[in-house]
């Protein structure tokens, strides 16, 4: 599931490498070289364990692992150790849809309402959405509903069960089919389609039509009964010891567990080599260059070029060798994966990890596959890393000055001022590319100080102007990656009247805290999801949305590829003197409505609506020890003044914690759950 939350954004991008860490001559056997590279992941990039496998012409030719399954016992990873595969799960629901196409039960170019008759939205354009548009990310849906989707030791199906209800009151951000931008909800709808058409639950469908014929014993959903001890343990810096089992309860978009060997077996289905499961014609159609059907960046050498389900159907760097490579990556909060297959050569590789990111798994997989191709004599040499020099500033054409102005992306707006052939931009990719100045270097491009990032302006056929970024990033010991993406869209001024302006100025800089997230949610380890900070970036825009009136702001951008994903609107209401924010059906309460927790002994009860209860930690409670009598279905989390996790009882199983001054406490559980708290 890509880009779940900002703290894990680098793990959600699924960008892939441009070149190979094995480029130097090395007489070591490939297995040893691969282990050395995998060891880089474990020693330098926060990975506790990585498992990988290569299938070549139907045979596993490499299967190995580095790191441990359990840090406490040093238990090794084996070939049947299971990992969450995140968005690589999308290939299973894509294949399931195409299996129904083969059975003449689904036509992917018919309206989705043909198969999900109760699918409606508050935007008449929804009637034009087809299964193909779900598969190629061009449906126009806002992106994702994450509420109660990622839970520990909890396989609650609320997110799946209520998706259609939530969509009923929502609109689209673009015309269906106009352009592709990553969409998790699209694959949740495909899961529902499979269930409605087949008459089976999605878990049952996969077991019957995929796992059983392939003999997959370790590919499961959170709703399957299986030995959870087979799962590799996961870890989080603020929590001592292993975390409880993570369940991604958005199964179609990111909920499966599997192994590297079993993923390579499943790749046989996706490449048309198991026609007893999926026809060769359907497998081939999934490889179509769907991204070209709508607005897209012009560069063909890229990490993103969507097919049906696939992140890439012309993956760099393999395209530089004349080799077709298909790729799908995946991340939950704690697990990461990638599947890359070379259909013309009947070779596939899967990499799964606990910790790290799918970026790292993808770089690793591509480098290993290039080495494997060289070892087989399919390619003669591996291309060296691309090198860069500091740009030489040249005189800028005056017409480029017209690109100065207000730009937006999901979550923020910026002002771009081009002056003397240069301008500044904030960081990209959650800091992988730092905030810096870009200077004009000719041919319409502005470059970073080291030359590895090129920025240009692109006016598309939809009339919108985008800031386009061409990135090359180096990961020491692993390799280099490339990504070309639209990052920002130019916006029009949105002047406000005095009343509306004052209403939003009052909210500027304020935090709002989630009320509806279950206390079993792993997002309590990621405050960037639990907390929403409102920023009135420029007049008329707040947190990247366009202000409509005193209490409403709507998505302002239509950006293809990745940066326009997970869009949202802001809706404010006031009840009993407290202000509430609603985003994607999720309720948040203003920091102004949160009261300090009482010292000494006190009792609190979860209200009848089941919403969480938040408290501030003032100077009277700070630095004291809080001990909580936690109900069976309840729990709590504590954060410091910077929003960092101090404790999360659902994961740590602690009931006592020293309270940091200026921090926050949240209590969660079922309606009526009582908490006895002692602070001394």
């Amino acid at each position: 599931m890509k880009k779940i939350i900002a703290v894990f954004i680098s793990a959600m991008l699924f960008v892939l490498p441009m070149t190979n860490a094995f480029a130097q001559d090395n007489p070591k056997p490939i297995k040893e070289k691969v282990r050395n590279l995998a060891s880089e992941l474990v020693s330098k990039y926060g990975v506790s364990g990585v498992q990988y496998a290569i299938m070549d012409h139907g045979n596993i030719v490499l299967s190995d692992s580095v790191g441990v399954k359990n840090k406490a016992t040093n238990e090794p990873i084996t070939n049947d150790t299971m990992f969450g595969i995140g968005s690589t799960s999308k290939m299973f629901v894509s294949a399931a849809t195409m299996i129904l196409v083969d059975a003449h039960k689904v036509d992917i170019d018919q309206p989705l309402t043909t198969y999900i008759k109760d699918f409606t939205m508050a935007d008449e354009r929804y009637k034009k959405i087809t299964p193909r548009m779900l598969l190629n990310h061009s449906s126009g849906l806002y992106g994702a509903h994450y509420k109660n989707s990622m839970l520990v030791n909890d396989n609650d199906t609320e997110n799946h069960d209520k998706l259609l209800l939530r969509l009923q009151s929502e609109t689209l951000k673009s015309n269906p089919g106009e352009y592709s931008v990553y969409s998790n909800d699209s694959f949740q709808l495909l899961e529902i389609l499979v269930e409605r058409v087949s008459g089976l639950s999605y878990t049952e469908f996969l077991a019957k039509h995929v796992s059983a014929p392939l003999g997959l014993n370790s590919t499961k959903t959170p709703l399957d009964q299986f030995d959870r001890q087979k799962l590799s343990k996961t870890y989080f810096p603020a929590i001592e010891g292993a975390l409880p089992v993570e369940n991604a309860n958005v199964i179609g978009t990111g909920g499966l567990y599997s192994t590297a060997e079993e993923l390579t077996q499943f790749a046989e289905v996706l490449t048309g080599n198991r026609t007893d499961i999926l026809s060769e014609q359907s497998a081939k159609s999934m490889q179509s260059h769907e991204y070209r059907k709508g607005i897209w960046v012009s560069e063909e050498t890229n990490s993103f070029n969507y097919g049906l389900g696939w992140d890439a159907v012309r993956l760099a760097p393999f395209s530089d060798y004349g080799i077709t490579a298909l790729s799908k990556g995946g991340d939950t909060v704690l697990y990461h994966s990638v599947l890359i297959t070379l259909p013309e050569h009947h070779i596939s590789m899967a990499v799964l990890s606990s910790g790290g990111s799918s970026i790292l798994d993808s770089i690793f997989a591509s480098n290993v596959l290039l080495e494997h191709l060289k070892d087989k004599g399919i390619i003669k040499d591996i291309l060296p890393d691309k090198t860069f020099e500091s740009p030489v500033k040249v005189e800028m054409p005056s017409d480029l000055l017209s690109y100065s102005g207000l730009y937006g992306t999901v979550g923020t707006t910026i002002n771009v001022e081009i002056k003397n052939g240069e301008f500044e931009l904030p960081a990209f990719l959650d800091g992988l590319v730092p905030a810096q100045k870009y200077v004009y270097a000719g041919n319409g491009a502005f470059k970073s100080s080291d030359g590895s990032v090129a920025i240009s302006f692109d006016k598309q056929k939809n009339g919108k102007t985008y800031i386009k970024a061409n990135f090359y990033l180096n990961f020491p010991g692993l390799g280099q990656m490339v990504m070309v993406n639209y990052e920002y869209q130019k916006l029009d001024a949105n002047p406000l009247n005095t009343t509306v302006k004052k209403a939003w100025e009052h909210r500027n800089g304020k935090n709002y805290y989630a009320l509806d997230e279950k206390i079993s949610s792993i997002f309590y380890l990621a405050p960037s999801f639990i907390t929403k900070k409102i920023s009135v970036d420029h007049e008329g825009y707040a947190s990247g949305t366009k202000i409509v009136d005193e209490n409403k702001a709507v998505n302002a951008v239509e950006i293809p590829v990745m940066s326009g994903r997970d869009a949202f609107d802001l809706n404010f209401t006031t009840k009993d003197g407290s202000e509430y924010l609603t985003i994607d059906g999720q309720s948040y309460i203003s920091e102004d409505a949160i009261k300090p927790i009482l010292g000494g002994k006190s009792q609190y009860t979860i209200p009848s609506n089941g919403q969480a209860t938040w408290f501030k930690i003032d100077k009277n409670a700070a630095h004291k020890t809080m001990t909580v009598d936690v109900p069976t279905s309840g729990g709590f989390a504590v954060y410091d003044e910077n929003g960092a996790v101090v404790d999360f009882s659902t994961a740590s199983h602690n009931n006592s914690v020293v309270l940091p001054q200026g921090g926050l406490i949240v209590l969660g559980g079922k309606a009526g759950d009582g908490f006895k708290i002692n602070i001394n």
Side-chain angles (χ1 to χ4, degrees):
M1 299 173 58
K2 300 180 182 180
K3 196 182 173 187
I4 295 176
I5 38 181
V7 72
F8 298 107
I9 190 171
S10 65
M12 300 302 135
L13 292 175
F14 297 97
V15 288
L16 296 161
M18 184 65 188
T19 185
N20 191 288
F22 291 137
Q24 70 275 14
D25 291 331
N26 194 331
K28 295 180 180 178
I30 185 170
K31 182 175 181 178
E32 184 178 347
K33 287 190 281 186
V34 173
R35 281 188 64 84
N36 289 341
L37 188 61
S39 296
E40 293 288 306
L41 280 174
V42 174
S43 64
K44 296 180 180 178
Y45 291 98
V47 175
S48 60
V50 58
Q51 179 194 69
Y52 48 92
I54 296 176
M55 179 172 281
D56 192 329
H57 287 80
N59 297 309
I60 298 292
V61 296
L62 177 65
S63 180
D64 205 354
S65 63
V66 171
V68 295
K69 175 182 175 182
N70 186 335
K71 290 182 178 180
T73 63
N74 284 324
E75 181 183 355
I77 297 168
T78 60
N79 62 0
D80 64 350
T81 298
M82 297 165 63
F83 294 75
I85 65 171
S87 281
T88 303
S89 304
K90 288 181 172 68
M91 296 314 303
F92 284 81
V93 78
S94 300
T97 303
M98 301 308 291
I99 288 170
L100 294 173
V101 170
D102 285 343
H104 306 291
K105 294 181 178 180
V106 169
D107 180 338
I108 62 172
D109 293 311
Q110 289 296 308
L112 181 62
T113 52
T114 306
Y115 310 106
I116 308 177
K117 298 188 183 301
D118 52 339
F119 168 55
T120 63
M121 297 184 71
D123 186 324
E124 286 298 301
R125 293 177 295 176
Y126 84 91
K127 296 176 182 177
K128 298 180 180 180
I129 296 174
T130 65
R132 180 185 296 275
M133 295 172 189
L134 301 179
L135 288 160
N136 67 19
H137 300 281
S138 70
S139 65
L141 294 168
Y142 265 42
H145 288 77
Y146 291 126
K147 179 181 175 183
N148 293 327
S149 60
M150 308 293 293
L151 309 177
V152 294
N153 281 346
D154 186 348
N155 59 6
D156 188 350
T157 60
E158 177 201 342
N159 189 285
H160 166 278
D161 299 341
K162 294 184 178 180
L163 177 61
L164 293 177
L165 178 63
R166 290 172 179 148
L167 290 173
Q168 285 178 9
S169 60
E170 298 183 8
T171 62
L172 298 174
K173 63 185 175 188
S174 62
N175 293 323
E178 184 176 357
Y179 65 88
S180 294
V181 58
Y182 203 84
S183 170
N184 281 319
D185 278 351
S186 293
F187 291 80
Q188 286 303 98
L189 286 173
L190 287 171
E191 178 185 341
I192 295 172
L193 177 150
V194 170
E195 293 180 327
R196 295 291 178 85
V197 173
S198 71
L200 300 172
S201 73
Y202 181 60
T203 294
E204 291 169 336
F205 186 95
L206 288 185
K208 179 178 179 180
H209 294 283
V210 179
S211 294
L214 281 174
L216 306 183
N217 298 315
S218 298
T219 298
K220 303 292 183 181
T221 81
L223 298 179
D224 275 314
Q225 297 296 318
F226 68 95
D227 182 6
R228 263 60 177 178
Q229 294 303 313
K230 292 182 64 178
L231 288 164
S232 181
K233 301 293 186 182
T234 57
Y235 302 89
F236 189 82
I239 304 298
E240 185 177 351
L243 299 177
V245 172
E246 178 191 44
N247 295 306
N249 297 311
V250 278
I251 302 174
T253 201
L256 270 63
Y257 308 102
S258 192
T259 69
E261 288 190 8
E262 290 199 358
L263 276 185
T264 62
Q265 288 176 261
F266 175 62
E268 294 288 282
V269 175
L270 300 174
T271 51
N273 294 309
R274 284 298 301 263
T275 54
D276 57 320
I277 298 174
L278 183 68
S279 70
E280 186 176 356
Q281 178 182 356
S282 286
K284 191 69 177 176
S285 69
M286 293 173 70
Q287 302 170 29
S288 61
H289 291 223
E290 296 287 315
Y291 64 100
R292 292 175 175 167
K293 294 180 177 180
I295 298 165
W296 198 260
V297 293
S298 58
E299 284 74 7
E300 288 289 316
T301 300
N302 204 351
S303 300
F304 300 116
N305 25 65
Y306 297 144
L308 298 180
W310 293 107
D311 286 343
V313 293
R314 191 181 184 276
L315 177 66
F318 301 96
S319 54
D320 293 338
Y321 299 84
I323 295 172
T324 296
L326 316 172
S327 175
K328 186 72 192 82
D331 300 82
T332 63
V333 175
L334 303 169
Y335 287 119
H336 315 281
S337 71
V338 71
L339 174 64
I340 299 177
T341 186
L342 316 177
E344 297 161 346
H345 297 283
H346 201 170
I347 299 171
S348 298
M349 182 172 186
V351 181
L352 312 180
S353 66
S354 172
S357 76
S358 63
I359 289 178
L360 304 173
D361 293 349
S362 301
I363 292 173
F364 172 73
S366 289
N367 289 343
V368 171
L369 280 171
L370 287 175
E371 184 71 12
H372 183 67
L373 292 172
K374 181 181 178 183
D375 196 53
K376 288 172 64 72
I378 295 173
I379 61 174
K380 183 178 180 181
D381 294 303
I382 296 173
L383 299 174
D385 285 353
K386 189 173 180 64
T387 58
F388 301 92
E389 296 179 353
S390 297
V392 176
K393 185 177 178 180
V394 300
E395 185 176 353
M396 184 189 77
S398 60
D399 61 338
L400 291 181
L401 290 171
S402 65
Y403 288 114
S404 292
L406 184 66
Y407 286 80
T409 191
V410 173
T412 190
T413 55
I414 61 171
N415 188 57
V416 174
E417 183 181 4
I418 304 172
K419 190 175 181 180
N420 298 324
E422 55 189 48
F423 60 91
E424 295 182 358
L425 288 175
F428 293 110
L429 309 183
D430 199 34
L432 290 177
V433 177
Q436 60 187 304
K437 182 185 295 182
Y438 295 85
V439 302
Y440 188 70
N443 297 319
F446 297 78
K447 293 192 174 182
S448 60
S449 59
D450 65 359
S452 66
V453 182
I455 302 293
S456 57
F457 298 90
D458 194 355
K459 187 169 184 179
Q460 268 285 0
K461 58 186 178 182
N462 61 356
K464 302 184 188 306
T465 297
Y466 297 103
I467 291 178
K468 183 171 67 175
N470 190 317
F471 303 106
Y472 283 87
L473 292 172
N474 289 304
F475 290 85
L478 290 180
Q480 188 181 77
M481 74 175 196
V482 61
M483 182 178 71
V484 187
N485 198 18
Y486 287 137
E487 293 291 342
Y488 289 91
Q489 174 189 319
K490 195 170 188 184
L491 301 175
D492 296 326
N494 183 36
L496 306 175
N497 65 43
T498 302
T499 302
V500 174
K501 186 175 181 180
K502 284 184 177 179
W504 285 89
E505 286 177 346
H506 178 71
R507 299 181 181 115
N508 188 31
K510 288 188 177 179
N511 289 314
Y512 293 73
Y513 298 96
L515 296 172
D516 302 325
E517 196 72 5
K518 295 182 70 173
I519 200 63
S520 57
S521 173
I522 204 165
F523 287 139
Y524 283 104
L525 291 177
S528 57
F529 178 87
I530 297 299
T531 305
K532 299 297 181 185
K533 186 172 186 176
I534 301 302
S535 173
V536 181
D537 308 309
H538 295 84
E539 183 178 346
Y541 291 89
S543 298
T545 59
K546 184 177 183 179
I547 297 171
V548 175
D549 58 32
E550 292 172 70
N551 295 309
K552 185 178 181 64
V554 298
N555 172 57
V557 298
E558 298 180 29
I559 306 177
V561 195
M562 288 294 290
S563 293
R565 60 175 295 172
D566 297 345
F568 56 86
D569 298 338
L570 302 174
N571 293 280
F572 292 91
T573 56
T574 300
K575 182 180 179 181
D576 298 329
S578 298
E579 187 171 64
Y580 296 85
L581 166 64
T582 302
I583 302 176
D584 296 333
Q586 181 104 341
S587 296
Y588 299 78
I589 189 169
S590 170
E591 63 180 39
D592 293 340
I594 298 176
K595 297 177 173 57
I597 194 163
L598 298 175
K601 294 183 179 181
S602 57
Q603 295 188 25
Y604 297 96
T605 302
I606 299 298
S608 59
N609 59 13
Q611 290 186 328
T613 302
W614 289 83
F615 299 95
K616 294 176 181 176
I617 304 170
D618 64 10
K619 61 181 180 180
N620 295 318
H623 311 304
K624 295 180 180 179
T625 298
M626 179 179 75
T627 302
V628 185
D629 185 357
V630 181
T632 303
S633 55
F636 66 89
V638 177
Y639 304 95
D640 68 18
E641 62 181 343
N642 298 315
V645 178
V646 175
D647 195 18
F648 176 39
S649 69
T650 304
S652 69
H653 306 296
N654 294 329
N655 71 338
S656 184
V657 59
V658 176
L659 299 178
Q661 184 165 346
L664 289 165
I665 300 166
V666 58
L667 308 178
K670 293 182 179 179
D673 276 351
F675 293 77
K676 295 180 180 180
I677 298 178
N678 186 14
I679 297 177
N680 57 41

